[in-house]
Amino acid sequence: MDNEILEFDIGLGGEGDGLGDDDGGDMEQTVDEDDLAYSPAPSSGGGGAIGSNEIYLPEGDLSDLEPYEGMEFESEEAAKAFYNSYARRVGFSTRVSSSRRSRRDGAIIQRQFVCAKEGFRNLNEKRTKDREIKRPRTITRVGCKASLSVKMHDSGKWIVSGFVREHNHELVPPDQVHCLRSHRQISGAAKTLIDTLQAAGMGPRRIMSALIKEYGGISKVGFTEVDCRNYMRNNRQRSLEGDIQLVLDYLRQMHAENPNFFYAVQGEEDQCMSNVFWADPKARMNYTFFGDTVTFDTTYRSNRYRLPFAPFTGVNHHGQPVLFGCAFMINESEASFVWLFKTWLMAMSGRPPVSITTDLDCVLRSAIIQVFPETRHRFCKWHIFKKCQEKLSHIFLKHPNFEAEFHKCVNLTESIEEFESCWLTLVDRYDLRDHEWLQSIYSSRRQWVPVYLRDTFFAEMSITQRSDSMNSYFDGYVNASTNLNQFFKLYEKALESRNEKEVRADYDTMNTLPILRTPSPMEKQASELYTRKIFVRFQEELVGTLTFMASKAEDDGEVITYHVAKFGEDHKAYCVKFNVLEMKATCSCQMFEFSGLLCRHVLAVFRVTNVLTLPSHYILKRWTRNAKSNVILEDHSTDVYTYYLESHTVRYNTLRHEALKFVDEGAKTRENYDMAMVALQEAAKRVAEAIKTDGRTPVSNGKVRSCLLNDGSHREYTRGIHEESLSQHMSEDDMDKNIRELMSELQSANRKCEIYRSNLLSVLKAVEDHKSELSVTVQNIKIGMKDGF
């Protein structure tokens, strides 16, 4: 076969050369854990040569061909293709190593193709030693000598001048050859199918499943899921290169119509590939009212979407999603996200949010730390659950109960200690301690597990609720198949629809009356302050207090600690600390801190301590019907009523608190007791005299202040924080008249409460009696059965 000329023009590499360096930077690996590239371990022998029995022969006429010195090819590409085909049959990857050029015209006259494991990685290269490597690649070069050298003959043919057959590492079996870099290529037919399925809204994982089924196995597909992801991403970016001008034209037009319309482009506007951000005037205004918590939705990064669209959203006073701005993120580097967050913050007047929710992503986390160092960053729990179904699919199939146990561990644990214990039990039970992905999300648990996040406001009505703003603002409008030509029409329709829903909710709140379920003044107060949806949620908590009992556990003189639990469930008690003088309470469930609404446990303590209305510091303006007004228009008659109830409650609690301390001290000795009785009798006389003279000393929240006069004496006086505002609207006599009327209404309400409580106690007594009757019946049945035997 000497001087035989072979024409062997086989296209390689799919998107590029395909004979890339396995250690080098081919296409960016978009998802670390999905990188399926095969990296075979060195053989235990360290340098065994390959025998003929270890070479896998392909089907067809070329099965007996192997490179040899003197072999001729029509071109350099033909030689490269032949060697790569040979490598595929044997089980290794190839790359171009070196070349030699002609001194006469600079043309390449010699080329060497080597095994991809040839040589060793230079860890001291200048391009890497001066910068931090965030994702170091696996070392794959082991000094293999296998190679093919060809040089150009005077005839124009390329002749094999050297061939080294032996490898110093194990070779890859046929069912894994498709994972080697030089053998991964996407054919034209596969590209067509990927484009079609992507347009239908399918993601890379589902597309790969379809391709495997279509081709009859992963080894016959010819590329990996990572290749599919990279192709889809690059295809999406190429499709936007010409259309991004549509975005810029639209934004310029909107800014010309309204100067408060904000937009920015990263880099120069005339660049084809640029990141873009915009926020209309309504979005910027909404942020001033509801910008305490923000969601940055990057669902598009799954590659299922054709548009790299990312909205900033929040929650309005009706619990509806509200828009704070949008972006097209064509470049997804850390620097690009830093630019985006800084630009968004500038558009929002430089006021960062209290909290921000994003998908689980290292790049986003790093960017947020740089731009929002004081903002609490949370990963979307529901995206993690969805990812869990993919990463642990084998566990889900094998153990049907795992999903429920996983959800219970994350959502229903009440403390950090309980979660940690539950997690360890779960991973041990299903032998998952060494599962890499599960360990990675566990290491980030403080940013997605509810028990670690309860002390921060996220505007959610419960710990286990899914954030309604995450990936929902544009649902039904922008989808996986939306392109730029359609986008802005659908975008504007979505804005109109959301605005209409908010207007409708405002109308329902202002023009319809909610159904009150208790005679509580607090419920009536809440119904007049909160929007309808928020009131219904508060009402659930208020009614829920009827099933809870609050018992005093500790009193240190300033703060009283209560244990609040359902009847018969003392082991599930919540701890509520209540400062009577400041009217402030905190609960171990931290619902107020998380959602901005008081929980049933605090409300149960308010019930037993005679707090009849919500203290003003527990009414967040962002949940009220006046959330979007700069000035709160108060109903003065309601203000007087609320002021009286709050003042009476505080006076009552303060007196009782002080009296109990007085009683404790007075009962210790006989002498203390006698002095205490004298003091009480004197105090009783003074109170009786004050009632007779109808003394009017304005009191607000029971706060008594001591004022030092010029003569050195002290005078005790009280100041009402509402006194000045009330005197502007009504005379003292009118105030007294209103207060007497309100006291009458209060007494009537108290009577109704007593009747309600009496009825409730009767029901509970009837339930207990019925339980006793059932217990006796059961015992009789057991005795009868024993007698029968």
Side-chain angles (χ1 to χ4, degrees):
M1 297 179 65
D2 290 347
N3 299 323
E4 179 181 359
I5 299 175
L6 296 179
E7 183 67 36
F8 201 84
D9 288 318
I10 297 179
L12 297 177
E15 288 300 293
D17 187 291
L19 299 170
D21 183 349
D22 272 0
D23 286 338
D26 188 22
M27 194 70 71
E28 180 187 352
Q29 305 299 307
T30 55
V31 182
D32 292 354
E33 63 270 20
D34 289 337
D35 190 349
L36 303 177
Y38 183 81
S39 299
S43 62
S44 57
I50 300 172
S52 58
N53 61 332
E54 292 177 297
I55 297 176
Y56 299 93
L57 300 178
E59 299 177 0
D61 297 332
L62 300 177
S63 60
D64 60 339
L65 289 182
E66 185 174 78
Y68 57 88
E69 292 190 20
M71 196 173 193
E72 294 184 3
F73 298 91
E74 283 292 328
S75 65
E76 175 199 350
E77 289 298 321
K80 180 169 63 174
F82 176 79
Y83 188 57
N84 198 56
S85 177
Y86 163 76
R88 183 180 181 89
R89 288 183 281 120
V90 174
F92 66 96
S93 183
T94 66
R95 59 183 172 84
V96 177
S97 175
S98 61
S99 61
R100 181 181 173 189
R101 294 183 179 272
S102 170
R103 294 181 180 179
R104 185 173 62 253
D105 56 10
I108 295 176
I109 58 175
Q110 188 171 340
R111 181 77 82 180
Q112 184 182 32
F113 310 110
V114 298
C115 172
K117 292 180 177 290
E118 179 268 347
F120 298 93
R121 178 183 295 181
N122 183 2
L123 299 179
N124 295 318
E125 290 183 14
K126 184 178 180 181
R127 66 186 177 91
T128 60
K129 70 179 182 179
D130 295 330
R131 61 187 178 91
E132 180 184 358
I133 305 299
K134 293 186 177 181
R135 289 192 304 167
R137 292 181 178 271
T138 304
I139 295 177
T140 58
R141 297 195 186 187
V142 294
C144 182
K145 301 295 185 182
S147 65
L148 176 73
S149 299
V150 294
K151 62 181 179 180
M152 189 176 183
H153 195 265
D154 293 339
S155 64
K157 311 299 182 186
W158 288 77
I159 301 174
V160 176
S161 58
F163 172 58
V164 178
R165 185 170 180 269
E166 293 78 13
H167 296 259
N168 70 343
H169 56 87
E170 293 180 355
L171 299 177
V172 177
D175 62 342
Q176 296 176 1
V177 168
H178 68 281
C179 293
L180 295 174
R181 190 178 299 276
S182 70
H183 307 309
R184 288 154 53 183
Q185 53 183 316
I186 303 178
S187 65
K191 290 179 182 178
T192 301
L193 184 55
I194 291 173
D195 293 343
T196 302
L197 296 178
Q198 183 181 12
M202 291 178 63
R205 192 176 299 275
R206 291 179 61 194
I207 289 177
M208 279 302 296
S209 297
L211 288 168
I212 292 170
K213 187 175 182 180
E214 176 72 18
Y215 284 87
I218 183 65
S219 61
K220 295 182 181 180
V221 173
F223 54 90
T224 67
E225 185 177 326
V226 174
D227 299 316
C228 181
R229 290 177 185 274
N230 288 330
Y231 171 77
M232 292 172 67
R233 185 187 60 198
N234 292 339
N235 191 36
R236 181 176 65 184
Q237 290 182 348
R238 281 194 298 270
S239 68
L240 288 172
E241 287 183 9
D243 293 339
I244 199 68
Q245 191 61 39
L246 293 173
V247 177
L248 297 178
D249 291 343
Y250 174 84
L251 299 180
R252 292 188 188 109
Q253 177 187 347
M254 298 302 292
H255 179 70
E257 294 176 0
N258 189 335
N260 289 325
F261 185 98
F262 181 97
Y263 82 96
V265 180
Q266 188 178 15
E268 300 296 330
E269 286 195 26
D270 56 358
Q271 293 179 353
C272 291
M273 300 294 287
S274 299
N275 295 320
V276 182
F277 167 77
W278 73 93
D280 62 29
K282 184 174 178 61
R284 301 175 72 184
M285 184 60 70
N286 281 334
Y287 185 79
T288 64
F289 303 129
F290 311 114
D292 39 19
T293 184
V294 174
T295 293
F296 180 55
D297 184 4
T298 54
T299 306
Y300 74 87
R301 299 184 80 199
S302 65
N303 282 315
R304 186 169 65 90
Y305 285 71
R306 295 178 65 183
L307 291 178
F309 174 58
F312 291 87
T313 58
V315 180
N316 69 8
H317 53 323
H318 299 292
Q320 300 169 334
V322 62
L323 192 64
F324 296 147
C326 302
F328 277 128
M329 293 300 292
I330 297 172
N331 185 319
E332 300 176 2
S333 66
E334 181 180 313
S336 292
F337 283 113
V338 169
W339 169 85
L340 174 64
F341 293 145
K342 287 182 176 179
T343 303
W344 175 79
L345 190 60
M346 179 173 62
M348 302 299 134
S349 303
R351 182 169 63 92
V354 173
S355 60
I356 187 169
T357 302
T358 71
D359 198 1
L360 174 59
D361 186 272
C362 297
V363 174
L364 285 174
R365 173 160 52 187
S366 179
I368 286 173
I369 289 173
Q370 295 179 54
V371 183
F372 307 117
E374 303 300 323
T375 297
R376 188 72 177 273
H377 182 200
R378 176 179 69 165
F379 297 133
C380 179
K381 177 180 62 179
W382 298 99
H383 284 180
I384 292 176
F385 282 170
K386 186 176 180 181
K387 199 72 175 178
C388 183
Q389 293 174 346
E390 298 176 3
K391 298 296 180 183
L392 301 174
S393 57
H394 60 294
I395 300 294
F396 279 61
L397 290 173
K398 187 176 180 181
H399 304 284
N401 294 330
F402 174 79
E403 183 174 11
E405 292 181 37
F406 183 78
H407 278 261
K408 181 180 179 181
C409 174
V410 172
N411 287 326
L412 301 183
T413 45
E414 296 288 346
S415 65
I416 292 175
E417 294 75 16
E418 185 183 355
F419 166 77
E420 295 287 352
S421 174
C422 186
W423 181 275
L424 291 176
T425 301
L426 189 70
V427 296
D428 285 342
R429 181 179 301 155
Y430 295 99
D431 194 23
L432 294 171
R433 271 188 182 257
D434 298 327
H435 193 280
E436 185 176 353
W437 181 82
L438 202 61
Q439 287 304 310
S440 70
I441 65 168
Y442 175 74
S443 65
S444 302
R445 62 193 180 281
R446 288 176 176 80
Q447 288 183 268
W448 66 276
V449 177
V451 291
Y452 293 98
L453 298 163
R454 289 175 175 171
D455 60 346
T456 304
F457 182 74
F458 284 96
E460 294 180 13
M461 295 299 101
S462 71
I463 298 292
T464 58
Q465 169 196 334
R466 177 176 183 175
S467 176
D468 197 25
S469 62
M470 193 69 173
N471 191 29
S472 66
Y473 190 92
F474 291 96
D475 277 3
Y477 295 92
V478 178
N479 55 42
S481 61
T482 302
N483 57 43
L484 268 181
N485 289 322
Q486 306 166 326
F487 174 78
F488 282 107
K489 289 183 179 179
L490 297 172
Y491 164 84
E492 290 179 348
K493 285 185 177 180
L495 262 59
E496 291 175 4
S497 174
R498 289 295 179 185
N499 291 339
E500 174 60 29
K501 288 180 179 178
E502 182 177 335
V503 169
R504 182 67 187 177
D506 284 336
Y507 176 85
D508 289 342
T509 295
M510 296 297 182
N511 295 280
T512 60
L513 295 175
I515 299 174
L516 302 183
R517 299 170 62 185
T518 73
S520 166
M522 188 179 291
E523 183 182 21
K524 187 175 187 300
Q525 174 198 19
S527 71
E528 296 170 351
L529 292 173
Y530 290 133
T531 60
R532 184 55 41 80
K533 181 175 180 179
I534 303 306
F535 167 70
V536 169
R537 183 65 188 87
F538 174 81
Q539 190 180 51
E540 291 176 5
E541 294 299 312
L542 185 63
V543 173
T545 63
L546 297 175
T547 62
F548 280 82
M549 299 180 65
S551 56
K552 186 187 295 186
E554 185 180 343
D555 186 350
D556 64 5
E558 291 186 4
V559 177
I560 305 174
T561 302
Y562 290 88
H563 287 169
V564 183
K566 286 186 176 182
F567 180 76
E569 297 183 5
D570 293 340
H571 60 289
K572 295 182 180 180
Y574 294 85
C575 179
V576 176
K577 295 182 182 294
F578 183 38
N579 187 316
V580 179
L581 299 181
E582 296 182 2
M583 293 289 285
K584 291 184 178 180
T586 58
C587 180
S588 58
C589 79
Q590 296 182 301
M591 178 176 163
F592 181 77
E593 290 82 354
F594 189 77
S595 69
L597 289 177
L598 282 177
C599 62
R600 59 192 61 189
H601 319 118
V602 169
L603 294 176
V605 170
F606 282 179
R607 188 189 72 227
V608 300
T609 54
N610 221 25
V611 178
L612 302 178
T613 61
L614 283 173
S616 58
H617 46 269
Y618 286 119
I619 303 170
L620 296 192
K621 183 182 176 183
R622 62 115 56 233
W623 290 134
T624 68
R625 56 181 66 195
N626 293 317
K628 299 178 74 171
S629 65
N630 293 324
V631 179
I632 299 179
L633 302 177
E634 297 185 4
D635 182 344
H636 295 292
S637 62
T638 302
D639 180 76
V640 173
Y641 182 51
T642 302
Y643 162 59
Y644 165 74
L645 290 177
E646 287 184 354
S647 302
H648 179 272
T649 300
V650 175
R651 289 197 302 269
Y652 176 88
N653 284 318
T654 303
L655 282 174
R656 187 175 66 170
H657 186 70
E658 293 299 323
L660 287 174
K661 290 196 296 183
F662 182 76
V663 169
D664 289 339
E665 292 297 325
K668 288 182 178 178
T669 65
R670 179 68 188 182
E671 291 75 12
N672 287 0
Y673 170 77
D674 293 338
M675 291 293 294
M677 288 299 295
V678 171
L680 280 175
Q681 290 169 1
E682 181 64 25
K685 289 180 182 179
R686 291 190 178 186
V687 171
E689 290 174 0
I691 294 174
K692 288 180 181 179
T693 58
D694 197 19
R696 306 185 191 96
T697 302
V699 178
S700 175
N701 291 342
K703 295 183 179 179
V704 180
R705 299 182 182 180
S706 178
C707 180
L708 183 64
L709 302 181
N710 292 333
D711 59 359
S713 63
H714 287 76
R715 175 177 298 170
E716 296 294 334
Y717 75 101
T718 57
R719 300 182 61 188
I721 62 173
H722 292 294
E723 180 181 356
E724 183 178 350
S725 61
L726 291 175
S727 63
Q728 295 174 357
H729 299 284
M730 59 183 69
S731 67
E732 205 168 294
D733 292 336
D734 291 336
M735 187 188 301
D736 289 340
K737 181 180 178 181
N738 285 341
I739 289 178
R740 283 193 295 272
E741 291 175 354
L742 292 172
M743 287 180 65
S744 177
E745 293 180 13
L746 178 62
Q747 291 172 357
S748 176
N750 283 334
R751 285 194 295 272
K752 291 180 180 178
C753 285
E754 290 302 322
I755 294 172
Y756 185 81
R757 289 175 183 173
S758 176
N759 291 338
L760 183 60
L761 289 173
S762 299
V763 171
L764 291 175
K765 187 176 183 304
V767 170
E768 290 298 321
D769 292 342
H770 187 58
K771 285 172 63 178
S772 299
E773 292 175 2
L774 287 176
S775 177
V776 171
T777 303
V778 170
Q779 290 297 327
N780 290 336
I781 293 174
K782 288 181 178 179
I783 293 172
M785 292 177 67
K786 288 181 180 179
D787 293 341
F789 287 122

